[in-house]
Amino acid sequence: MRWNPMLRVGAAVFAVGLVAAACGQQESLGGGGGQAPEYEVVQDPRFAPGTTMAELSEAGTIRIGTKFDQPLFGLRNLDGQMRGFDVEIAKIISGQLGIAPEDIEWVQSPSAQREDLIERGEVDMVVATYTINDERAQRVSFAGPYYQAGQILMVRSDNQEITGPDSLRGSGARVCTVTGSTPSENIRPFIEESQLVLFQQYSQCRDALGTDQVDVVTTDNVILLGYVANSEGQFKLVGDTFTEEPYGVGIPKGDVQFCLFINQALTEAAGTGAYQRAWEATAGTVAEETPELPELNSCR
Ligand code: GLU
């Protein structure tokens, strides 16, 4: 049976929204308001010479592509602090390379640019709500998945007409999503070309929804959940998730050793509880249930 997180988190969104508003913490909630957990930073790790792991641990720094505008998964606060589950996953992996969080260079990676950034060697890995699929796997390799999301719709809270993707047919609703994303493809069967509005980043869609320039924003549930939680009741999610979006760690094509290393780091994190703490400090502040690490793919 398909996992449907929205059925479970609906009430939690509402409850957490109230608590956060009452405490005046609405701003910080998006990134996971509490103290970021700390993870093991391995001292002097040993890796086979010539591997990506050896190069990175030797350099003592790593460039990680993520989102900067997605509360709960990848958010850059005004003070430059990075927050979110993707950020925590990236810190966990870096720690196993002997690289401390302050030595990570964060590179903003909009959806349409992720493969390019990896191919051009501008980032060492991408952890950015990045769905593993065959098309992308032609150009990059993926470790993971470390989480499974699903696409859903977000509308203004007073919207009674849009109840799920089928209700978009013939509605004339303007539907916003991001160029180069899987949601921009998956939504096409439900709408006319003229209904589709594409931006570079989801926060632009969210803003356009707030100003009535579009009627619907569609992407992964956990991204939209962050916007709903910060919207002070202005937005809501409607319908069920209608796709499966397994999130992978994007790395250069064919770096099997690096992929195996990342998978090992993820498996260990699930065993030590670091994975669970990462979730609870970020997305878990809004979504009630802590996920289990999905079954990992084999590395190619
Ligand atoms: N997970 C989907 C994707 O990789 C949507 C989220 C995003 O654009 O980052 O395209």
Side-chain angles (χ1 to χ4, degrees), residues 140-211:
V140 302
S141 289
F142 287 102
Y146 59 91
Y147 183 69
Q148 169 126 335
Q151 186 173 346
I152 201 165
L153 309 183
M154 177 172 84
V155 297
R156 285 181 295 277
S157 298
D158 60 3
N159 186 327
Q160 306 301 332
E161 281 94 64
I162 306 296
T163 51
D166 286 319
S167 70
L168 294 173
R169 289 207 174 89
S171 70
R174 296 155 299 177
V175 180
C176 192
T177 189
V178 159
T179 179
S181 69
T182 52
S184 70
E185 298 303 324
N186 296 331
I187 199 65
R188 283 179 201 270
F190 299 99
I191 58 175
E192 303 290 328
E193 184 72 35
S194 58
Q195 287 174 261
L196 189 60
V197 178
L198 293 174
F199 286 128
Q200 294 298 316
Q201 300 179 186
Y202 294 109
S203 53
Q204 294 171 302
C205 286
R206 176 209 52 200
D207 293 348
L209 185 65
T211 50

Side-chain angles (χ1 to χ4, degrees), residues 67 111 114 128-131 136 181-183 202 219-220 223 247:
K67 300 297 185 78
S111 300
R114 292 174 291 201
T129 58
Y130 197 8
T131 296
R136 292 169 178 170
S181 69
T182 52
Y202 294 109
T219 185
D220 299 340
I223 298 173
Y247 287 176

Side-chain angles (χ1 to χ4, degrees), residues 41-48 53-54 56-58 93-99 261:
V41 178
V42 179
Q43 296 300 311
D44 288 325
R46 295 289 153 92
F47 299 107
M53 295 80 80
L56 291 170
S57 68
E58 173 73 16
I93 297 166
S94 303
Q96 294 303 306
L97 291 164
I99 301 172
F261 166 80

Side-chain angles (χ1 to χ4, degrees), residues 244-255:
E244 290 181 2
E245 309 290 332
Y247 287 176
V249 178
I251 57 172
K253 174 86 179 145
D255 195 341

